Amino acid sequence: METDPNEMVYCPYNKAHKMLRKKLQQHILKCREIYKDEIELLVCPFNKSHLIPEPEFLAHTRSCIDRKIIAHYQHSAPAELTEDTRHEKIETEENWDDDDVPDYNPQLYVATANVVREPNGMFPSQRKAFIKEERKRLLGEDSDDDANEKTQSRGGPSKATCPTSQRSAPYKLPNRQR
């Protein structure tokens, strides 16, 4: 038995409230809060949208339409297997439980794969060290500080005199002059 969601129903808390059946559950939540001290309604064990006053509760549980639906499923016979629904057991020599394979470790995989990792949840000093290690890992290059020291020791231009610096890698941060 299907009910029409466009059917108009009345609120169990206030009969002046009339709404579509599909809006009843949402409305009951509001009215339950408003009328919690004034009206005590019991919830039907077969349908949560059935709210019944205590004197009528026993009669309702005996005659509830939804009780018949639940009783039908409780007392119906289980499905029988026929030749059409049965199939032969599939035998195979493969057993994944017997394989001696190490467990998957996502941290180990990401550390060796060509994946850019984000330094989330780290302190600034840890973030700086992480970025330096990532740059070495991904590009096989030295960090900005090491490269800057090498160029200055060879007499090359320093970052203070060279206003534009080319970034060849993600995580290349300009050195801060302090």
Side-chain angles (χ1 to χ4, degrees):
M1 177 179 161
E2 266 186 55
T3 58
D4 181 20
N6 295 325
E7 178 186 348
M8 298 300 282
V9 293
Y10 292 97
C11 172
Y13 288 99
N14 186 344
K15 296 298 180 193
H17 298 165
K18 187 176 178 181
M19 76 231 50
L20 295 173
R21 179 176 298 281
K22 63 184 179 182
K23 298 287 186 177
L24 181 63
Q25 286 288 343
Q26 185 177 2
H27 177 82
I28 285 175
L29 293 173
K30 293 177 186 175
C31 274
R32 181 181 295 147
E33 192 63 32
I34 294 169
Y35 295 104
K36 65 182 173 190
D37 296 331
E38 299 173 24
I39 302 173
E40 183 65 34
L41 297 176
L42 300 175
V43 178
C44 174
F46 308 111
N47 187 338
K48 299 295 182 190
S49 66
H50 294 172
L51 299 173
I52 303 103
E54 191 171 355
E56 302 169 12
F57 184 72
L58 188 58
H60 174 80
T61 55
R62 289 183 183 148
S63 63
C64 181
I65 295 170
D66 296 325
R67 175 190 179 105
K68 295 173 186 171
I69 295 169
I70 292 174
H72 170 72
Y73 285 109
Q74 286 178 338
H75 300 297
S76 63
E80 293 183 21
L81 293 175
T82 63
E83 292 299 321
D84 297 338
T85 58
R86 293 184 190 173
H87 63 82
E88 295 180 22
K89 186 176 179 181
I90 300 170
E91 296 290 334
T92 180
E93 295 177 12
E94 182 179 29
N95 186 353
W96 290 10
D97 294 332
D98 293 340
D99 293 342
D100 188 24
V101 178
D103 293 335
Y104 176 70
N105 184 350
Q107 296 296 333
L108 182 64
Y109 171 75
V110 170
T112 57
N114 192 14
V115 177
V116 177
R117 299 186 293 172
E118 294 288 327
N120 295 330
M122 295 182 182
F123 292 109
S125 62
Q126 293 172 327
R127 190 170 32 249
K128 189 175 182 179
F130 177 83
I131 290 169
K132 187 185 271 188
E133 290 299 318
E134 279 296 286
R135 194 175 308 119
K136 286 180 185 177
R137 183 181 71 86
L138 290 172
L139 302 172
E141 295 179 1
D142 293 334
S143 67
D144 281 346
D145 297 334
D146 296 341
N148 192 16
E149 290 172 6
K150 288 178 184 176
T151 55
Q152 284 181 354
S153 65
R154 287 184 276 168
S158 68
K159 292 220 177 201
T161 60
C162 185
T164 59
S165 63
Q166 293 181 349
R167 292 186 182 174
S168 62
Y171 294 116
K172 286 245 181 191
L173 298 176
N175 287 337
R176 295 185 184 126
Q177 302 297 326
R178 296 184 184 172

